[in-house]
Coordinates of all heavy atoms in Angstrom, one line a residue:
G1 N 0.2 20.7 -15.7 CA 1.5 20.5 -15.3 C 1.7 19.2 -14.5 O 0.8 18.3 -14.5
S2 N 2.9 19.1 -13.9 CA 3.3 17.9 -13.3 C 3.9 18.1 -11.9 O 4.6 19.1 -11.6 CB 4.3 17.1 -14.1 OG 3.7 16.7 -15.3
L3 N 3.8 17.2 -11.0 CA 4.5 17.1 -9.7 C 4.9 15.7 -9.4 O 4.3 14.8 -9.9 CB 3.6 17.7 -8.6 CG 3.4 19.1 -8.5 CD1 2.4 19.3 -7.4 CD2 4.7 19.9 -8.3
R4 N 5.9 15.4 -8.6 CA 6.2 14.0 -8.2 C 6.3 14.1 -6.6 O 7.0 14.8 -6.1 CB 7.5 13.6 -8.7 CG 7.8 12.1 -8.4 CD 9.1 11.5 -9.0 NE 10.3 12.0 -8.2 CZ 11.4 11.5 -8.4 NH1 11.7 10.4 -9.1 NH2 12.4 12.0 -7.6
L5 N 5.6 13.2 -6.0 CA 5.5 13.1 -4.6 C 6.5 11.8 -4.2 O 6.5 10.9 -4.9 CB 4.2 12.8 -4.1 CG 3.0 13.9 -4.3 CD1 1.6 13.4 -3.7 CD2 3.5 15.3 -4.0
S6 N 7.1 12.0 -3.1 CA 8.0 10.9 -2.6 C 7.6 10.6 -1.2 O 7.2 11.4 -0.4 CB 9.5 11.3 -2.7 OG 9.9 11.7 -3.9
C7 N 7.7 9.3 -0.8 CA 7.5 8.8 0.5 C 8.5 7.8 0.8 O 8.5 6.6 0.3 CB 6.0 8.2 0.6 SG 5.6 7.6 2.2
A8 N 9.4 8.1 1.7 CA 10.5 7.3 2.2 C 10.0 6.5 3.5 O 9.6 7.0 4.4 CB 11.7 8.0 2.5
A9 N 10.2 5.2 3.4 CA 9.7 4.4 4.6 C 10.9 3.7 5.3 O 11.9 3.4 4.7 CB 8.8 3.2 4.0
S10 N 10.7 3.6 6.7 CA 11.7 3.0 7.4 C 11.0 2.3 8.6 O 9.9 2.4 8.9 CB 12.7 4.1 8.0 OG 12.1 5.1 8.7
G11 N 11.8 1.4 9.2 CA 11.3 0.8 10.4 C 10.7 -0.7 10.2 O 10.2 -1.3 11.2
E12 N 10.6 -1.1 8.9 CA 10.0 -2.4 8.6 C 10.7 -2.9 7.2 O 11.2 -2.1 6.5 CB 8.5 -2.2 8.5 CG 7.8 -3.5 8.1 CD 8.0 -4.6 9.1 OE1 7.3 -4.6 10.2 OE2 8.9 -5.5 8.8
T13 N 10.5 -4.2 7.1 CA 11.1 -4.8 5.9 C 10.2 -4.2 4.7 O 9.0 -4.4 4.7 CB 11.1 -6.3 5.9 OG1 11.7 -6.8 7.0 CG2 11.5 -6.9 4.6
F14 N 10.9 -3.5 3.8 CA 10.1 -2.8 2.8 C 9.3 -3.7 1.9 O 8.0 -3.3 1.6 CB 11.2 -2.1 1.9 CG 10.7 -1.1 0.9 CD1 9.8 -0.1 1.3 CD2 10.9 -1.1 -0.4 CE1 9.2 0.9 0.5 CE2 10.4 -0.2 -1.3 CZ 9.5 0.8 -0.9
S15 N 9.7 -4.9 1.6 CA 9.0 -5.8 0.7 C 7.7 -6.3 1.3 O 6.8 -6.8 0.7 CB 9.9 -6.9 0.3 OG 10.3 -7.7 1.4
R16 N 7.6 -6.1 2.7 CA 6.3 -6.6 3.3 C 5.3 -5.6 3.5 O 4.2 -5.9 4.1 CB 6.7 -7.2 4.8 CG 7.6 -8.4 4.8 CD 8.0 -8.9 6.1 NE 8.9 -10.1 6.1 CZ 9.4 -10.6 7.1 NH1 9.2 -10.0 8.3 NH2 10.1 -11.7 7.0
L17 N 5.5 -4.5 2.9 CA 4.6 -3.3 3.1 C 3.6 -3.2 1.8 O 3.9 -3.6 0.8 CB 5.3 -2.0 3.2 CG 6.2 -1.9 4.4 CD1 6.8 -0.5 4.3 CD2 5.3 -1.9 5.6
C18 N 2.4 -2.8 2.1 CA 1.5 -2.2 1.3 C 1.5 -0.7 1.4 O 1.3 -0.3 2.5 CB 0.1 -2.8 1.4 SG -1.2 -2.2 0.2
M19 N 1.6 0.1 0.4 CA 1.7 1.5 0.5 C 0.8 2.2 -0.5 O 0.6 1.7 -1.6 CB 3.1 2.0 0.3 CG 4.1 1.6 1.5 SD 5.8 2.2 1.3 CE 5.5 3.9 1.6
G20 N 0.3 3.3 -0.1 CA -0.6 4.0 -1.0 C -0.5 5.5 -0.7 O 0.0 6.0 0.2
W21 N -1.1 6.2 -1.6 CA -1.3 7.6 -1.6 C -2.9 8.0 -1.5 O -3.6 7.4 -2.3 CB -0.7 8.4 -2.8 CG 0.7 8.4 -2.8 CD1 1.6 7.6 -3.4 CD2 1.6 9.3 -2.1 NE1 2.9 8.0 -3.2 CE2 2.8 9.1 -2.4 CE3 1.2 10.5 -1.2 CZ2 4.0 9.8 -1.9 CZ3 2.3 11.2 -0.7 CH2 3.7 10.9 -1.0
F22 N -3.1 8.8 -0.5 CA -4.6 9.2 -0.3 C -4.6 10.7 -0.5 O -3.6 11.4 -0.3 CB -5.1 8.8 1.0 CG -5.4 7.4 1.2 CD1 -4.3 6.4 1.2 CD2 -6.7 6.8 1.2 CE1 -4.6 5.0 1.4 CE2 -7.0 5.5 1.3 CZ -5.9 4.7 1.4
R23 N -5.8 11.2 -0.8 CA -5.9 12.6 -0.8 C -7.3 13.1 -0.1 O -8.2 12.4 -0.2 CB -5.8 13.2 -2.2 CG -6.9 12.9 -3.1 CD -6.6 13.3 -4.5 NE -7.6 13.1 -5.5 CZ -7.5 13.2 -6.8 NH1 -6.5 13.7 -7.4 NH2 -8.6 12.9 -7.6
Q24 N -7.2 14.4 0.4 CA -8.4 14.8 1.0 C -8.5 16.4 0.8 O -7.6 17.1 1.2 CB -8.3 14.6 2.5 CG -9.8 14.9 3.3 CD -9.8 14.5 4.6 OE1 -8.7 14.2 5.3 NE2 -11.0 14.2 5.2
A25 N -9.6 16.8 0.1 CA -9.9 18.1 -0.1 C -10.8 18.6 1.1 O -11.5 17.9 1.7 CB -10.6 18.3 -1.4
P26 N -10.9 19.9 1.3 CA -11.8 20.4 2.4 C -13.2 20.0 2.2 O -13.8 20.2 1.1 CB -11.6 22.0 2.3 CG -10.2 22.2 1.7 CD -10.0 21.0 0.7
G27 N -13.8 19.5 3.2 CA -15.2 19.1 3.1 C -15.5 17.8 2.4 O -16.6 17.4 2.3
K28 N -14.5 17.1 2.1 CA -14.6 15.9 1.4 C -14.0 14.6 2.1 O -13.1 14.8 3.0 CB -14.1 15.9 0.0 CG -14.7 17.0 -0.9 CD -14.0 17.0 -2.3 CE -14.3 15.7 -3.2 NZ -13.8 15.8 -4.5
E29 N -14.4 13.5 1.8 CA -13.7 12.3 2.3 C -12.4 12.1 1.8 O -12.0 12.4 0.7 CB -14.6 11.0 2.0 CG -16.0 11.1 2.5 CD -16.2 10.8 3.9 OE1 -15.2 10.3 4.6 OE2 -17.2 11.0 4.5
R30 N -11.5 11.5 2.8 CA -10.2 11.0 2.3 C -10.4 9.8 1.3 O -11.1 8.8 1.6 CB -9.3 10.7 3.5 CG -8.0 10.4 3.1 CD -7.1 10.2 4.4 NE -7.0 11.4 5.2 CZ -6.2 11.5 6.3 NH1 -5.4 10.6 6.6 NH2 -6.3 12.7 6.9
E31 N -9.8 9.9 0.2 CA -9.9 9.0 -0.8 C -8.6 8.4 -1.3 O -7.5 9.1 -1.3 CB -10.7 9.4 -2.1 CG -9.9 10.6 -2.8 CD -10.7 11.0 -4.0 OE1 -11.6 10.4 -4.4 OE2 -10.2 12.0 -4.6
A32 N -8.5 7.1 -1.7 CA -7.4 6.4 -2.2 C -7.2 7.0 -3.6 O -8.1 7.0 -4.5 CB -7.6 4.9 -2.2
V33 N -6.0 7.3 -3.9 CA -5.5 7.7 -5.2 C -4.7 6.6 -6.0 O -5.0 6.3 -7.1 CB -4.6 9.0 -5.1 CG1 -4.1 9.3 -6.5 CG2 -5.3 10.1 -4.4
A34 N -3.9 6.0 -5.2 CA -3.0 4.9 -5.9 C -2.5 4.0 -4.8 O -2.1 4.5 -3.7 CB -1.9 5.4 -6.8
V35 N -2.3 2.7 -5.0 CA -1.8 1.8 -4.1 C -0.8 0.9 -4.8 O -0.9 0.5 -6.0 CB -3.0 0.9 -3.4 CG1 -2.4 -0.1 -2.6 CG2 -3.9 1.8 -2.7
I36 N 0.3 0.6 -4.1 CA 1.2 -0.4 -4.6 C 1.6 -1.5 -3.6 O 1.9 -1.2 -2.5 CB 2.5 0.3 -5.1 CG1 3.5 -0.6 -5.8 CG2 3.1 1.1 -3.9 CD1 4.5 0.1 -6.6
H37 N 1.7 -2.7 -4.1 CA 2.1 -3.9 -3.3 C 3.6 -3.9 -3.6 O 4.1 -4.2 -4.7 CB 1.4 -5.2 -3.7 CG 1.8 -6.4 -3.1 ND1 2.6 -7.4 -3.7 CD2 1.6 -6.8 -1.8 CE1 2.9 -8.4 -2.8 NE2 2.3 -8.0 -1.7

């Protein structure tokens, strides 16, 4: 199946940000999933 996650940013010029999604399962390290400039 499918899901869509959203992340709304505020407080900074949006174009100057690097943003990413990380995930962490129990007992595991937090890992990068995707990053966008």
